[in-house]
Structure formats: C-alpha cells, structure tokens
C-alpha cells in the first residue's frame, strides 16, 4: 500500500502550547486511520447498505442522518440521506466494500487519501468547536456516535463524537493545513497539547 504522507507534517508541532495556566484542556491529534470510505445507497436501498456496513464493520448504524456508531477500531455514521462515512483503522476496507456493494445497491468511494482526520479531545472540546460551527454540541443533542456535516468558511467538515469529550473531524486534505493553523490558534486560550 502507498504510504500516506500527512499534509500537516510541516506544521505539526508536538507538545504543550497556548495558555498553560490551567494546564492543557484540549488535546489535538491527527489520527491517520487506515481507511476512510464513503458509501451512497440508491433510493430504496438504505437498509441493504446498512446491512453491508454491519457485515464489514460490525457496527449497527441507524438510517437517520446524524446517527452513528463507534468501537475501538471503526466508526460509521450517516451524514445525509442514503450516505455514510465509514472509518476503520485497517487499510483496504474500501476494497472490502467494493466487493460487497453491487452496482444495483449503491456506490463506494475510498477517501483514505483525500481526507485528513483530526481528533479534538478534552474538557473544552465542545467550546473550541463552538467557535467554528453553529451546532449544539451538548451531549443530549450530539451523543457519542452521532455526527454532523457542516462547513467553516467553506471548509466542509464531517464531525463525529467518538467519546464523551472527543470528536473526530474529517476535512479535505487540501484544506487540512490551513484548518489546523486555525484550530491551534483558537485552542490557545484553553491551553492545548498536540500528541
């Protein structure tokens, strides 16, 4: 497999940054999953596509946009009617889906080389993300496993809550470096650590 080179490499500075008076309240990291795959079901094929997601990942994803599921090695969520993003630590999951999704069921698009995955974690994660997105990050509205698709200044972002205080953000690779700069600058007031 071709080695994925991070677009963040030139600006990825590990360590503690920003306001350190209260310690780091946010941790930022690039997660580099092995596979990021987008699935789209043809009309009337949502249940069949969700069954394929469950077969491949073991995750049971509800058909409603924003619904999702996570475990230790994979995540999946519906970000629009009939569309899902599946993220897995293993490489080659896109091919596994291509083998299981017939032409009359829907389409498979491997985005592993086209997206950058950034984790935002910590007690101030919701506050940091609220600076960027006009979304309600309260856990009752945005539960673990849940996801949203949105933009920040035309940077399309898919966001999934993968833990109580942890979010995974998927951005276009071409915008990742400028988005990272903005994310770090916005996290300075809280104190943050890059892992």
């Amino acid at each position: 497999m071709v080695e994925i080179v991070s677009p963040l490499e030139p600006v990825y500075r590990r360590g503690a940054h920003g306001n350190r008076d209260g310690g780091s309240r946010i941790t930022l990291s690039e997660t580099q999953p092995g596979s990021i795959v987008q699935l789209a079901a043809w009309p009337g094929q949502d249940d069949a596509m969700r069954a394929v997601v469950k077969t491949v990942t073991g995750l049971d994803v509800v058909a409603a946009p924003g619904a999702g599921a996570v475990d230790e090695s994979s995540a999946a969520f519906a970000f629009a009617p009939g569309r899902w993003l599946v993220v897995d630590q293993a490489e080659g999951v896109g091919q596994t889906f291509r083998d299981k999704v017939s032409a009359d069921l829907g389409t498979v698009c491997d985005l592993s080389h086209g997206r950058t995955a950034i984790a935002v974690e910590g007690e101030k994660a919701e506050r940091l993300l609220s600076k960027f997105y006009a979304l309600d990050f309260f856990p009752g509205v945005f539960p673990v496993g849940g996801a949203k698709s949105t933009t920040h200044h035309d940077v399309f972002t898919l966001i999934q809550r993968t833990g109580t205080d942890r979010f995974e953000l998927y951005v276009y690779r071409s915008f990742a470096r400028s988005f990272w700069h903005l994310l770090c600058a916005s996290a300075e007031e809280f104190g943050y650590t890059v892992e």
Side-chain angles (χ1 to χ4, degrees):
M1 189 95 193
V2 175
E3 181 183 348
I4 298 175
V5 177
S6 169
L8 302 181
E9 190 173 324
V11 295
Y12 201 83
R13 294 182 10 243
R14 295 181 190 277
H17 306 279
N19 180 1
R20 303 293 298 145
D21 292 341
S24 287
R25 295 192 209 148
I26 293 177
T27 301
L28 303 176
S29 60
E30 181 183 14
T31 59
Q32 296 184 325
S35 299
I36 302 173
V37 181
Q38 180 176 305
L39 306 170
W42 300 129
Q45 296 294 332
D46 289 15
D47 290 340
M49 185 67 85
R50 288 189 312 100
V52 172
V53 171
K54 187 169 184 175
T55 299
V56 173
T57 66
L59 298 173
D60 192 10
V61 182
V62 178
V70 295
D71 67 17
E72 301 78 36
S73 62
S74 57
F77 58 90
F79 65 90
R83 293 178 185 259
W84 294 267
L85 193 75
V86 177
V87 181
D88 202 290
Q89 296 309 308
E91 293 182 358
V93 174
Q95 184 59 50
T96 303
F97 275 109
R98 279 192 290 278
D99 293 342
K100 295 194 178 296
V101 175
S102 62
D104 60 335
L105 176 58
T107 63
V108 177
C109 185
D110 192 330
L111 302 175
S112 303
H113 293 274
R115 299 291 185 273
T116 298
I118 298 171
V120 177
E121 185 172 19
E123 65 179 274
K124 297 293 183 182
E126 289 179 20
R127 286 217 24 222
L128 174 62
L129 294 177
S130 292
K131 289 181 171 188
F132 292 84
Y133 308 107
L135 297 172
D136 188 346
F137 290 100
F138 181 71
V141 176
F142 201 143
V144 173
K148 306 284 183 194
S149 61
T150 187
T151 61
H152 175 73
H153 292 290
D154 295 328
V155 177
F156 178 70
T157 311
L158 293 170
I159 305 168
Q160 184 176 33
R161 183 178 223 131
T162 56
T164 303
D165 292 323
R166 183 180 173 95
F167 296 87
E168 300 282 337
L169 285 65
Y170 303 96
V171 298
Y172 290 122
R173 182 179 170 83
S174 56
F175 291 117
R177 192 175 305 166
S178 62
F179 182 78
W180 179 260
H181 280 297
L182 188 56
L183 194 62
C184 290
S186 298
E188 284 185 2
E189 74 169 288
F190 307 117
Y192 70 98
T193 300
V194 175
E195 289 186 339

